[in-house]
Amino acid sequence: MTTGIPPVILPAACLPDVDFFCWLYHAPTVVIEVHETYPKQTCRNRYRIATANGLLTLSIPVVKTDGNHTPTSRIKLSQAVNWNRIHWRAIESAYNKSPFFLYYKDDFEQIFFNPPELLIDFNLAILNRSCKFTGIKQSFGLSESYQKHPADLFDLRQAIMPKHPASPEFDIRHYEPYTQVFSDRHDFIPNLSILDLLFNLGPEAGDYLRRHVPTKV
């Protein structure tokens, strides 16, 4: 937690990026939005990893139980395709040669191969496990109802997106490069899923987040 960082409300992101975890690490209070009407094509079901061919965005197929008015808390994981196996194969192919893949592999693989019914439960399982591995002691709460303009919370629900390198409030130039699996063929790709940071830096991932303080502008 860093003095000067406001309380924030974050989206219920899927395998959140480094930007998300910097806010989570430093903010004095964190609320995860679960009651919004589910927006498509966002970080709620998308995340980014670095592969031999460069950046790859993976998208989890979901089912809107109440049509277009389904809240994020009621979005189900699709059972129509083996997305979890497809995603895990992509992750394994991308990171099996990273220094700490074997160290964290079993914990994340267990979540992928035993997914819950709801997307929010999958996302929170990943989030809790990642907090443990990065040493984040900060607890977070879930929104109790949807508020268009939440009082006393810096609203980042629409800022953290998998299509963008970082939220507008974070100066992307401040991301320190670290060695990635395919650094010999690709320039450093910042702000990927927390998996990239963990698999490449291991126990040092928490220190990396500590050094990167987001700035409210």
Side-chain angles (χ1 to χ4, degrees), residues 160-177:
I160 296 176
M161 307 288 284
K163 294 182 180 180
H164 301 160
S167 65
E169 293 75 20
F170 203 115
D171 188 343
I172 192 67
R173 293 171 299 177
H174 290 171
Y175 279 116
E176 301 170 13

Side-chain angles (χ1 to χ4, degrees), residues 181-201:
V181 177
F182 302 104
S183 292
D184 60 330
R185 66 187 80 174
H186 299 297
D187 292 337
F188 173 67
I189 306 176
N191 199 37
L192 297 175
S193 166
I194 191 65
L195 294 182
D196 190 84
L197 195 69
L198 283 169
F199 291 155
N200 286 303
L201 294 187

Side-chain angles (χ1 to χ4, degrees), residues 1-216:
M1 183 177 70
T2 303
T3 303
I5 301 298
V8 298
I9 183 167
L10 294 167
C14 174
L15 287 96
D17 57 27
V18 173
D19 192 17
F20 181 106
F21 276 90
C22 287
W23 285 103
L24 184 60
Y25 188 101
H26 292 282
T29 301
V30 175
V31 176
I32 305 295
E33 176 62 77
V34 298
H35 290 289
E36 65 187 350
T37 298
Y38 179 77
K40 62 181 182 179
Q41 298 184 357
T42 71
C43 62
R44 280 84 175 161
N45 73 321
R46 294 185 176 206
Y47 59 100
R48 309 182 317 150
I49 63 173
T51 73
N53 295 319
L55 184 66
L56 174 64
T57 298
L58 292 166
S59 179
I60 294 179
V62 298
V63 177
K64 297 180 179 180
T65 57
D66 303 320
N68 290 332
H69 299 289
T70 307
T72 296
S73 61
R74 286 179 49 79
I75 293 291
K76 290 185 176 183
L77 297 172
S78 175
Q79 302 297 321
V81 294
N82 292 324
W83 65 266
N84 52 333
R85 296 180 181 276
I86 295 170
H87 282 219
W88 187 254
R89 281 201 298 267
I91 292 169
E92 192 168 37
S93 176
Y95 294 108
N96 63 359
K97 293 183 180 179
S98 64
F100 297 96
F101 178 73
L102 291 179
Y103 188 79
Y104 299 116
K105 169 182 177 290
D106 291 345
D107 289 88
F108 288 111
E109 187 177 33
Q110 180 183 32
I111 298 173
F112 270 85
F113 282 87
N114 297 278
E117 181 180 18
L118 297 175
L119 173 66
I120 185 63
D121 291 334
F122 176 83
N123 290 358
L124 290 177
I126 294 288
L127 182 57
N128 283 315
R129 201 66 55 90
S130 299
C131 284
K132 173 185 174 182
F133 293 146
T134 54
I136 292 179
K137 302 273 194 289
Q138 166 72 293
S139 60
F140 56 86
L142 304 181
S143 62
E144 297 181 357
S145 62
Y146 177 73
Q147 299 179 42
K148 186 174 182 179
H149 302 290
D152 303 320
L153 292 172
F154 187 48
D155 192 351
L156 289 166
R157 290 174 294 183
Q158 302 304 321
I160 296 176
M161 307 288 284
K163 294 182 180 180
H164 301 160
S167 65
E169 293 75 20
F170 203 115
D171 188 343
I172 192 67
R173 293 171 299 177
H174 290 171
Y175 279 116
E176 301 170 13
Y178 54 85
T179 302
Q180 295 173 315
V181 177
F182 302 104
S183 292
D184 60 330
R185 66 187 80 174
H186 299 297
D187 292 337
F188 173 67
I189 306 176
N191 199 37
L192 297 175
S193 166
I194 191 65
L195 294 182
D196 190 84
L197 195 69
L198 283 169
F199 291 155
N200 286 303
L201 294 187
E204 295 181 11
D207 288 335
Y208 186 93
L209 297 176
R210 177 184 54 79
R211 295 194 302 271
H212 291 73
V213 183
T215 303
K216 180 178 180 293

